[in-house]
Amino acid sequence: MSEHPVPPVPPVHPDQPERSERSARSRSRAPRGDGGPEPEAIRFFGTTWVGHDGGYALRRVVVAAGSLVTTVAACFVLRFAYEGLEIADVGAFVGVLVIAVFSVCGAIAFRRTWDGFQRRPADPAREESLRSVKTIGFIGALLAYFLRSLAEAPGEGLRRGEYETAVAQYERRRGARAGNPAARAGGKGGKPKRG
């Protein structure tokens, strides 16, 4: 009789059930490998937003801090540019016009970026035409990115809703294709005979 080596059993820790439950929950939200819908990656987060794993919390902190620092730096750059206009003595009208343009473009960029985190654009061509406005008002877009990253990965709510809907539809379709074997087995005999 030959002996087969038995793999060692890892020691059980008091917190192991909690850890295994957490990993099971993470696996259920992880990207699917069975041909089902795959979650859409978010810039700087990839698909870590699905299970809030893979350094998701740290990424949110870094993205929030990075967007805030970039916003502040951009404000300083604009301030230096405005001081350059004052030194060039171009006149009060040009100064007011520059402030108005950056303020309006910043407000539009903030609004469009914020809306983009909540729903897909109804008219992608219009969004494309506003790209130059959003570029000029980049401070507004950065501010929207910072504020949204305080609550979640920017765009996470939108993508989570779409992903969960796609998964539910996929499961329904897969269930409909497979059918209910018990119902099929019971239906083979047709109608029950009356006695």
Side-chain angles (χ1 to χ4, degrees), residues 15-172:
D15 64 333
Q16 189 170 4
E18 179 185 321
R19 206 180 305 154
S20 63
E21 179 184 314
R22 203 178 315 132
S23 65
R25 201 173 347 143
S26 170
R27 276 195 307 273
S28 69
R29 294 182 189 169
R32 306 169 66 88
D34 61 355
E38 294 289 331
E40 185 180 345
I42 297 177
R43 182 182 298 150
F44 306 123
F45 291 90
T47 57
T48 61
W49 60 268
V50 178
H52 288 188
D53 54 3
Y56 171 82
L58 179 63
R59 289 175 193 230
R60 265 190 46 206
V61 169
V62 169
V63 165
S67 57
L68 181 62
V69 167
T70 308
T71 303
V72 171
C75 288
F76 278 118
V77 168
L78 286 181
R79 174 70 182 151
F80 294 143
Y82 184 76
E83 286 177 358
L85 290 175
E86 285 182 339
I87 291 170
D89 197 25
V90 292
F93 176 74
V94 174
V96 169
L97 189 62
V98 167
I99 291 172
V101 166
F102 275 99
S103 299
V104 169
C105 290
I108 292 171
F110 179 88
R111 179 67 182 192
R112 291 292 179 174
T113 304
W114 190 265
D115 287 347
F117 296 147
Q118 297 171 338
R119 60 185 155 291
R120 300 281 179 185
D123 186 4
R126 184 165 183 219
E127 286 299 312
E128 188 63 30
S129 68
L130 287 172
R131 180 176 285 199
S132 58
V133 173
K134 288 163 83 171
T135 302
I136 293 169
F138 66 100
I139 290 179
L142 287 169
L143 190 58
Y145 211 83
F146 165 69
L147 292 175
R148 197 64 182 184
S149 61
L150 293 177
E152 64 178 11
E156 177 183 341
L158 170 68
R159 285 165 179 81
R160 186 174 300 284
E162 291 174 347
Y163 177 61
E164 288 175 355
T165 301
V167 168
Q169 289 173 348
Y170 173 76
E171 294 296 338
R172 272 199 305 273

